[in-house]
Structure formats: structure tokens, C-alpha cells
Amino acid sequence: MARRILLLGPPGAGKGTQATLIASALHVPHISTGAMLRAAVAAGTRLGKQAESVMASGELVSDELVVAIVDERLSQDDARCGYLLDGFPRNVAQAEALNDSVVDAIGTVVLLNVDTEEVIVRMMRRAEEEGRSDDNEEAIRRRLEVYSGETTPLVTFYDSAVLEVDGMGSVEAIFSRIMIALAKS
Ligand code: ADP
């Protein structure tokens, strides 16, 4: 089974939830650029200070910055036998940078398909529960635009490596669809 996996899908698609489940089932690290950036913001590091306002507005932080974070993370021992990337690459420039630094960086792409209305509902619900600074109406709209403009070209970029999975339904149902798709790949 392929172990260098990219989980792709719109903001609010449930990537974080599914990524945690997939990574523990496959015994690979879950590498989330969003989570790493939020940790940097919470810790008040120089990196976090640079990223904070960009993230709150729903824009992407610079490719240079994220590529550096991911390069560093992928060079750690636990990533040698595979990984599950969540939130990176997020545009073609990042995908090219990843290919330049890691041979066969991505073996399989799992694309979670979720209706736009549903992701908006999920993010507004999460806003009440978790208080993420980018879960407000304006930032959500911008994140969806950035996803369709910058991230969806990755489906063409990775082409035959892409497995489309229906991301609607319960967490368990979606997880089992993903595992079935991966097992067949
Ligand atoms: P979501 O997919 O719900 O928008 P993430 O947690 O993946 O949430 O990302 C949150 C924010 O972190 C993004 O809107 C962006 O500002 C920043 N970010 C995360 N990953 C990247 C990346 N690969 N490139 C640029 N910015 C990123």
C-alpha cells in the first residue's frame, strides 16, 4: 500500500480528522502545515508572527516559508518510511518544490469531495467550538476561493495518482471509503 500520501480537499472537508485516523492506521506521521503553523502562532515564534495575520485573512503564507518547514519536517527520521501530508502542497509551485527536494514525494493523492454548502456549515460550527481565527465568514470565503484557484490545479498535476473519495457522511463511513480506495491502489 502506498505510504507517501497527500490528502487533498477543500477547507472544512474534514482532512484533519481523517488524516489522524489514516496516519495511525498506516503507522506514518501526519504532517499538517496548518497545525504546524498554528503551533508556531501559539508559541509566538518569529515564524508564527509572520504567519498569523496572513492565516487569519484566509490567504496562503509564502511558499518559501512553508516549503522550508516541510523540508525540515520530512528530513526527520520518522518520515523515512512514509508520511501523510495534509495541507501541503497547496499549489503547483509548492508541489514542484517538493518534487525537487524529495524523490517520488507523493505516491497517492486522496481527494475528498465535499459540497461547498456542507464545508461552510462545518466551518461555522467549528468556529463556535474551537474559535479558529480563520473560521469567520470572510476568511472562509477567501479560503474557498484560494482552494479553487490555487489548490485544485493539483488534481491535474498529480493526475493518475489521484483517488477521489466521497467526503460526505459520517467520519467512520468516510474513513472506511478512504481505506478501501487506498487498498485498491
Ligand atoms: P483549512 O484547510 O481548513 O483552510 P489548514 O489548517 O490546512 O486549514 O490551513 C490553515 C491556514 O494555514 C491556511 O489558510 C493558510 O493560511 C495556512 N497554510 C497551511 N498550509 C499552507 C501551505 N501549504 N501554504 C501556504 N499556507 C498554508
Side-chain angles (χ1 to χ4, degrees):
M1 194 184 289
R3 296 194 166 260
R4 289 176 162 188
I5 302 168
L6 164 63
L7 186 58
L8 209 59
K15 294 189 297 293
T17 306
Q18 295 299 332
T20 306
L21 296 171
I22 302 164
S24 79
L26 300 183
H27 306 289
V28 292
H30 168 202
I31 300 179
S32 160
T33 44
M36 289 191 279
L37 290 167
R38 278 188 290 280
V41 170
T45 63
R46 201 159 65 95
L47 173 88
K49 290 196 175 88
Q50 274 174 274
E52 188 166 17
S53 59
V54 183
M55 290 173 74
S57 69
E59 300 293 336
L60 296 186
V61 306
S62 78
D63 292 341
E64 200 188 352
L65 199 151
V66 207
V67 166
I69 302 180
V70 173
D71 268 350
E72 206 280 320
R73 182 64 187 85
L74 292 182
S75 71
Q76 291 173 24
D77 268 3
D78 66 342
R80 268 185 318 172
C81 298
Y83 40 77
L84 177 68
L85 287 175
D86 162 14
F88 179 93
R90 224 179 181 88
N91 59 29
V92 171
Q94 293 178 7
E96 283 170 345
L98 178 64
N99 276 351
D100 288 344
S101 60
V102 182
V103 180
D104 297 326
I106 303 290
T108 311
V109 178
V110 174
L111 172 62
L112 271 187
N113 283 321
V114 183
D115 301 344
T116 306
E117 299 85 76
E118 174 66 16
V119 296
I120 294 173
V121 169
R122 289 184 192 177
M123 283 187 277
M124 295 308 280
R125 194 186 311 135
R126 186 169 67 186
E128 284 160 32
E129 290 161 7
E130 297 175 19
R132 250 175 72 162
S133 64
D134 58 352
D135 282 343
N136 60 74
E137 213 175 319
E138 185 146 342
I140 288 172
R141 192 174 323 117
R142 187 61 198 138
R143 281 155 66 205
L144 287 166
E145 282 170 9
V146 170
Y147 177 75
S148 67
E150 301 218 21
T151 309
T152 57
L154 290 177
V155 177
T156 309
F157 184 90
Y158 288 115
D159 190 37
S160 60
V162 177
L163 306 173
E164 287 198 49
V165 174
D166 176 6
M168 302 291 288
S170 69
V171 168
E172 296 74 20
I174 299 164
F175 176 57
S176 88
R177 280 179 216 136
I178 294 173
M179 294 310 285
I180 290 168
L182 285 173
K184 286 188 193 151
S185 71

